[in-house]
């Protein structure tokens, strides 16, 4: 155990040293670009550096630095986080946070198993690159990326290999394909409609199909009583076959769902600027389907493969999932003619088993055509062609390792295993498939750019109705053109130089007002701290004499953009006030339930009641103003527990620094409902100026003297 722990420590130290060297080198190389981005942010986007918060290991919150402008070099300050050791080059996926964990993460008891697995806390720090990105590119998002990233961090060699894999695949996809492809529900390739689904959606559809009896069927489900739902997986070879085999092509077109499998089909879809979600195939689906069937008490029949292969695979899966019901197995070497005696016997055996799900492993196109021909005779709810997966789970054929599948190179492993059987499929078939895709894309482009036929080119036999429709369409187009022409004449010309100048002037005014406000805060807070020093000493003495505990009270509050800071106050409550708060929640006099207020709060001390009435307890916040955590005028800083209950609209209060006083403090204080407080704070944000701040500070004096709404 000691040797193992020492090895892990040494590996982490080696990886950390490598990342530190890379970070320093990147800092040197990127310094000119960082200077450009710094100047660009300074002149166009307000603060130069901004922070976003991400979740680290063990619920740790990490401040991630980036430039405030939106451009190529926005995330270069991440190098600082890399050097300081906050993040890795290759680590777990970034999971963004809003400081309060409970505000965004539901309780574990309320989450489903897929959600729990997806939100498992990683053992490795977040990384600029991640295995999850690699899985997303090749459609393996259903695979556990945490296990792969932990393996990558076991030693430097594996770490470097993972880095090379991610960078290579990222570079290839960005080089050959558009950066933001569309995510459509369906994608057509060679006239075959592919359903663009995730593995979770596929399993849910199977479950719905098995449990549906003509009612409570979701909208996306096509299941109905008495009809077996046929699903198919197609790869590049299957689509090549469909171009030559019309029966197979019609079979795929008539299947309820057709799913894309393999890097070839993924590349074909990307060439159409459409991205596939998950790489769906029977081999990856099978263990997840078995787990679902075991949990939902669904039964499976396995048909196909050589003698005893299906039964061996079934036995292996039942050992993994003891509650799994596999109600029958049969090899695939029988007379599959629809009227043959053997075929009818196999169908009778399947129906007699009362299986919910039928998996057919005969290879394409045989398995899909057999399911289509015998669909009316089968009583199963779902029939799926699954290729050669029985061989994998019977351990007759070894599957490619995960790292090779993450690169989209599983086909190379199959080619090395069975070169005599697979060479024609991959060496000849893959280039032929890509050529067909290119030809189809070119034809579609030509059709989309080709002008519509003129009336003279139409056939003389065109009906009068078609001619009238054509004329009506031309009249509509003419009116739209005339309307657009009038709009173009009346529309003012856009002057880009003038617009940029106005924007620069606005940014300059905004920066000047912020600078003036900050200087005003520093001067006034420093002056008041000096003048009110006797009041500070007297108040501290009274608090110390009348109750035990510290004189000052420090409490975490939400600052600008929800950044936490410690706000100081004179202690006006007993030291156990926080523990007694839960017992007093029912006595809250604020109807909104977000903030807590009581006129006769039993937690307040005698001297505390006086200093709260006179607002003396707020005076130590002048130190927060001097530090820059707060401003003299601004929305009052909220507790983290209050921010958790904020709506999106309420969060507008966090757009500026919190203050000691604001509009609602001089308009009634605690007597104003929370919703109205929010509206008054937002009104201040849009109307703030130096004169407005001075006016509010002057109005605060009588509000404090007469203690309106203070308790």
């Amino acid at each position: 155990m000691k040797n193992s722990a020492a090895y892990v420590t040494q590996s982490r130290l080696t990886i950390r040293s490598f990342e530190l060297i890379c970070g320093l080198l990147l800092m040197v190389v990127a310094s000119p670009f960082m200077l450009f981005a710094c100047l660009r942010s300074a002149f166009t986007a307000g603060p130069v550096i901004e922070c976003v918060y991400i979740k680290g290991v063990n619920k740790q919150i990490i401040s991630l630095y980036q430039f405030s402008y939106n451009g190529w070099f926005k995330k270069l300050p991440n190098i600082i986080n890399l050097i300081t050791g906050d993040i890795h080059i290759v680590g777990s996926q970034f999971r963004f946070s809003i400081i309060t964990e409970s505000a965004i993460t539901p309780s574990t008891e309320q989450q489903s198993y897929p959600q729990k697995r997806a939100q498992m806390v990683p053992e490795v720090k977040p990384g600029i690159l991640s295995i999850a990105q690699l899985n997303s590119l090749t459609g393996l998002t259903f695979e556990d990326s945490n296990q792969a990233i932990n393996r990558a961090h076991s030693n430097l060699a594996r770490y470097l290999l993972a880095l090379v894999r991610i960078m290579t695949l990222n570079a290839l996809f960005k080089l050959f394909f558009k950066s933001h492809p569309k995510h459509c529900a369906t994608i057509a390739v060679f006239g075959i409609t592919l359903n663009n689904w995730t593995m979770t959606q596929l399993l849910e559809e199977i479950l719905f199909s098995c449990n549906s009896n003509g009612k409570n069927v979701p909208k996306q489900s096509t299941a109905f009583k008495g009809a077996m739902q046929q699903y198919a997986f197609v790869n590049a070879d299957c689509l090549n076959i469909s171009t030559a085999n019309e029966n197979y092509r019609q079979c795929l077109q008539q299947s309820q769902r057709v799913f894309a499998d393999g890097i070839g089909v993924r590349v074909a879809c990307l060439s159409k600027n459409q991205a596939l979600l998950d790489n769906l195939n029977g081999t990856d689906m099978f263990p997840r389907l078995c787990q679902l069937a075991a949990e939902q008490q669904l039964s499976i029949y396995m048909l196909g493969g050589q003698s005893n292969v299906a039964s061996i695979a079934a036995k292996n899966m039942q050992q993994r999932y003891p509650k799994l019901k596999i109600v029958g197995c049969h090899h695939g070497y029988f007379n599959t003619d629809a009227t043959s005696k053997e075929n009818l016997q196999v169908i009778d055996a399947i129906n007699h088993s009362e299986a919910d799900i039928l998996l057919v492993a005969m290879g394409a196109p045989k398995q899909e055509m057999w399911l289509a021909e015998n669909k009316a005779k089968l009583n199963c709810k779902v029939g799926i062609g699954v290729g050669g997966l029985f061989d994998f789970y019977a351990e007759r054929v070894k599957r490619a390792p995960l790292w090779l599948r993450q690169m989209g190179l599983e086909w190379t492993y199959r080619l090395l295993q069975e070169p005599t059987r697979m060479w024609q499929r991959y060496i000849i078939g893959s280039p032929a498939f890509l050529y067909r895709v290119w030809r189809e894309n070119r034809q579609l482009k030509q059709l989309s750019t080709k002008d519509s036929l003129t009336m003279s080119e139409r056939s003389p036999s065109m009906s009068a109705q078609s001619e009238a429709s054509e004329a009506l369409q031309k009249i509509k187009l003419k009116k739209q053109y005339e309307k657009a022409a009038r709009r173009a004449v009346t529309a003012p010309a856009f002057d880009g130089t003038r617009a940029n100048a106005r924007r620069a002037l606005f940014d300059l005014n905004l920066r000047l007002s912020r600078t003036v406000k900050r200087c005003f805060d520093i001067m006034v807070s420093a002056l008041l701290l000096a003048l009110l020093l006797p009041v500070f000493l007297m108040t501290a003495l009274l608090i110390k004499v009348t109750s035990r505990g510290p004189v000052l009270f420090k409490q975490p509050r939400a600052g600008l953009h929800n950044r936490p800071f410690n706000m100081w106050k004179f202690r006006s409550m007993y030291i156990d006030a926080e523990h007694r708060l839960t017992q007093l929640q029912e006595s809250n006099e604020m109807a909104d339930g977000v903030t807590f207020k009581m006129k006769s709060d039993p937690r307040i001390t005698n001297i505390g009641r006086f200093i709260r009435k006179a607002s003396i307890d707020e005076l130590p916040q002048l130190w927060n103003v001097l530090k820059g955590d707060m401003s003299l005028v601004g929305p009052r800083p909220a507790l983290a527990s209050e921010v958790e209950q904020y709506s999106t609209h309420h969060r507008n209060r966090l757009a500026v620094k919190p203050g000691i006083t604001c509009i609602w403090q001089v308009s009634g204080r605690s007597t104003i409902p929370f919703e109205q407080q929010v509206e008054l704070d937002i009104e201040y944000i849009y109307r703030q100026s130096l004169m407005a701040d001075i006016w509010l500070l002057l109005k605060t004096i009588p509000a404090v003297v007469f203690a309106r709404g203070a308790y």
Side-chain angles (χ1 to χ4, degrees):
M1 293 295 290
K2 290 183 179 179
N3 292 337
S4 177
Y7 176 76
V8 171
T9 304
Q10 183 180 1
S11 297
R12 289 178 178 174
L13 182 62
T14 307
I15 292 171
R16 175 71 188 115
S17 301
F18 170 77
E19 290 180 334
L20 182 59
I21 294 170
C22 289
L24 294 173
L25 290 174
L26 286 171
M27 181 66 79
V28 173
V29 174
S31 55
F33 307 107
M34 294 183 73
L35 178 61
F36 167 79
C38 183
L39 294 173
R40 180 75 181 273
S41 298
F43 285 102
T44 62
V48 175
I49 297 291
E50 63 183 13
C51 285
V52 295
Y53 299 99
I54 59 174
K55 302 177 191 176
V57 181
N58 298 325
K59 297 185 178 180
Q60 177 190 5
I61 302 298
I62 298 172
S63 298
L64 194 68
Y65 304 115
Q66 59 186 29
F67 289 118
S68 54
Y69 94 108
N70 291 319
W72 287 357
F73 311 126
K74 181 180 180 67
K75 296 185 179 180
L76 282 181
N78 289 176
I79 300 173
I80 300 172
N81 294 100
L82 178 64
I83 293 172
T84 57
D86 293 332
I87 60 176
H88 291 298
I89 297 177
V90 179
S92 58
Q93 192 173 22
F94 282 175
R95 298 182 304 150
F96 292 94
S97 173
I98 54 170
I99 302 301
T100 308
E101 181 81 14
S102 59
I104 58 173
T105 306
S107 61
T108 304
E109 291 77 7
Q110 295 175 344
Q111 293 176 338
S112 63
Y113 174 75
Q115 289 175 320
K116 291 179 187 177
R117 183 171 181 180
Q119 297 180 4
M120 287 174 63
V121 178
E123 299 177 13
V124 176
K125 292 177 184 177
I128 299 171
L129 303 173
S130 70
I131 297 294
Q133 294 174 355
L134 190 64
N135 288 346
S136 177
L137 289 173
T138 50
L140 300 179
T141 55
F142 47 82
E143 295 287 357
D144 185 7
S145 60
N146 287 341
Q147 184 177 357
I149 198 64
N150 288 332
R151 180 178 173 82
H153 276 258
S154 61
N155 59 58
L156 183 60
R158 287 176 177 167
Y159 180 87
L160 293 175
L161 287 172
L163 177 60
V164 170
R165 292 203 306 272
I166 298 171
M167 292 183 67
T168 302
L169 208 62
N170 266 319
L172 289 173
F173 273 77
K174 288 181 179 179
L175 181 64
F176 292 105
F177 306 110
K178 294 184 179 180
S179 56
H180 299 290
K182 301 174 184 177
H183 285 85
C184 302
T186 57
I187 303 173
V189 181
F190 302 168
I192 308 298
T193 300
L194 307 177
N195 295 96
N196 191 11
W197 282 13
T198 63
M199 182 66 76
T200 302
Q201 287 176 301
L202 169 58
L203 295 174
E204 287 178 350
E205 170 80 359
I206 293 173
L207 179 61
F208 284 134
S209 298
C210 291
N211 290 336
S212 62
N213 290 309
K215 59 180 180 179
N216 299 328
V217 184
K219 290 182 180 180
Q220 79 269 21
S221 177
T222 58
F224 58 93
K225 187 175 180 180
M228 185 190 77
Q229 307 300 292
Q230 182 178 349
Y231 303 147
F233 301 105
V234 294
N235 52 30
D237 183 56
C238 297
L239 291 173
N240 275 339
I241 295 172
S242 72
T243 61
N245 189 329
E246 186 60 29
N247 291 332
Y248 179 48
R249 179 185 180 83
Q250 291 179 3
C251 177
L252 291 177
Q253 289 173 337
Q254 294 170 7
S255 295
Q256 275 71 34
R257 305 291 181 194
V258 180
F259 302 106
D261 171 28
I263 191 67
V265 186
R266 181 166 292 270
V267 168
C269 293
L270 285 172
S271 70
K272 300 173 184 291
N273 194 30
Q274 295 178 325
L276 287 170
L277 294 174
D278 280 356
N279 182 65
L280 299 177
N281 55 70
T283 311
D284 286 325
M285 178 201 69
F286 186 52
R288 295 167 176 83
L289 178 63
C290 289
Q291 182 181 3
L292 177 70
E295 292 173 354
Q296 301 296 327
Q297 297 182 349
L298 302 176
S299 55
I300 298 175
Y301 194 100
M302 298 169 62
L303 173 65
Q306 296 180 1
S307 180
N308 295 327
V309 170
S311 56
I312 295 171
K315 183 179 179 181
N316 291 339
M317 296 310 293
Q318 285 176 321
Q319 289 177 352
R320 189 185 301 186
Y321 305 106
K323 294 183 180 180
L324 176 62
K325 292 169 59 179
I326 296 182
V327 293
C329 298
H330 196 283
H331 62 81
Y333 292 88
F334 62 93
N335 187 350
T336 57
D337 186 76
T339 57
S340 69
K341 184 177 180 180
E342 281 186 284
N343 190 68
L344 295 174
Q345 288 175 346
V346 169
I347 292 173
D348 287 340
I350 295 169
N351 291 338
H352 184 72
S353 69
E354 298 183 353
D356 296 306
I357 302 166
L358 172 62
L359 302 181
V360 182
M362 297 180 181
K366 187 177 180 180
Q367 58 196 16
E368 283 78 22
M369 295 176 66
W370 185 88
L371 281 168
E373 288 175 358
N374 299 283
K375 184 176 181 179
K377 302 175 186 176
L378 292 165
N379 295 333
C380 303
K381 301 290 181 63
V382 175
I384 312 175
V386 293
L389 77 81
F390 296 168
D391 289 326
F392 291 121
Y393 290 96
E395 299 178 355
R396 290 185 69 254
V397 177
K398 190 176 180 181
R399 197 179 183 197
L402 179 60
W403 67 266
L404 202 59
R405 289 188 281 132
Q406 287 172 336
M407 293 289 290
L409 296 175
E410 185 174 11
W411 63 273
T412 60
Y413 195 82
R414 294 293 308 277
L415 182 60
L416 290 173
Q417 280 185 313
E418 303 176 271
T420 55
R421 191 169 75 91
M422 296 293 181
W423 74 270
Q424 191 170 1
R425 175 188 295 187
Y426 295 124
I427 303 300
I428 298 177
S430 296
F433 173 75
L434 294 177
Y435 169 74
R436 288 190 176 103
V437 170
W438 172 80
R439 188 176 61 184
E440 182 185 51
N441 292 342
R442 188 184 64 172
Q443 291 172 350
L444 290 172
K445 188 176 181 180
Q446 289 174 348
L447 287 173
S448 64
T449 57
K450 187 177 181 181
D451 294 330
S452 59
L453 293 173
T454 61
M455 292 294 292
S456 59
E457 292 173 332
R458 297 290 182 97
S459 171
S461 61
M462 178 182 290
S463 65
Q465 184 177 2
S466 298
E467 292 178 357
S469 176
E470 183 85 12
L472 182 62
Q473 185 67 20
K474 293 183 76 172
I475 292 171
K476 288 181 178 179
L477 289 173
K478 185 178 180 180
K479 287 183 177 180
Q480 289 177 2
Y481 174 77
E482 291 174 352
K483 186 177 180 181
R486 288 195 302 271
R487 191 183 298 117
V489 171
T490 57
F494 176 73
D495 188 346
T497 304
R498 185 179 177 185
N500 288 333
R502 292 180 65 183
R503 179 179 178 183
L505 182 61
F506 174 81
D507 289 338
L508 180 62
N509 289 333
L510 184 62
R511 290 178 181 282
L512 286 174
S513 64
R514 287 174 178 172
T515 304
V516 171
K517 182 180 176 69
R518 179 62 186 140
C519 293
F520 180 74
D521 285 342
I522 293 172
M523 289 188 295
V524 174
S525 61
L527 180 62
L528 289 176
L529 283 171
L531 294 176
L532 296 173
L533 184 59
V535 178
F536 275 65
L537 295 175
M538 182 61 69
T539 305
L541 181 62
L542 290 173
I543 293 173
K544 198 67 179 176
V545 170
T546 56
S547 64
R548 63 186 182 89
V551 172
L552 293 174
F553 174 68
K554 180 179 70 173
Q555 189 176 47
R557 294 291 180 109
L560 176 65
H561 302 315
N562 203 23
R563 296 190 186 110
F565 73 98
N566 290 322
M567 189 186 77
W568 293 95
K569 297 177 69 174
F570 280 123
R571 183 175 58 84
S572 61
M573 293 186 177
Y574 294 103
I575 57 175
D576 62 343
E578 292 292 330
H579 298 289
R580 295 165 62 181
L581 178 61
T582 54
Q583 302 173 2
L584 299 172
Q585 286 292 347
E586 295 181 357
S587 304
N588 189 3
E589 295 175 7
M590 296 296 286
D592 52 83
V594 177
T595 55
F596 180 86
K597 292 288 182 180
M598 283 182 65
K599 287 185 178 180
S600 301
D601 196 332
R603 302 173 299 157
I604 301 176
T605 64
N606 292 329
I607 189 65
R609 204 170 301 279
F610 168 73
I611 64 175
R612 286 167 71 95
K613 196 80 172 176
S615 298
I616 296 173
D617 63 323
E618 309 284 354
L619 292 179
Q621 291 165 34
L622 291 169
W623 173 248
N624 289 112
V625 175
L626 190 62
K627 284 177 59 184
D629 295 331
M630 294 176 59
S631 179
L632 289 171
V633 182
R636 288 296 294 161
L639 294 167
S641 58
E642 294 171 355
V643 176
E644 289 180 25
Q645 304 176 59
Y646 278 8
S647 66
T648 305
H649 179 64
H650 296 158
R651 289 182 179 274
N652 289 322
R653 303 180 78 194
L654 307 174
V656 295
K657 281 185 183 179
I660 296 177
T661 186
C662 202
I663 297 176
W664 66 268
Q665 276 80 15
V666 300
S667 306
R669 301 176 75 172
S670 298
T671 59
I672 298 178
F674 174 73
E675 291 294 338
Q676 191 175 346
Q677 292 177 12
V678 172
E679 297 306 321
L680 291 174
D681 284 339
I682 294 174
E683 181 183 351
Y684 166 76
I685 291 172
Y686 285 104
R687 293 187 178 184
Q688 58 180 315
S689 66
L690 180 61
M691 293 306 299
D693 286 1
I694 295 173
W695 180 242
L696 285 171
L697 287 171
L698 292 175
K699 291 183 72 174
T700 302
I701 297 172
V704 171
V705 171
F706 294 105
R708 294 195 301 264
Y711 56 87

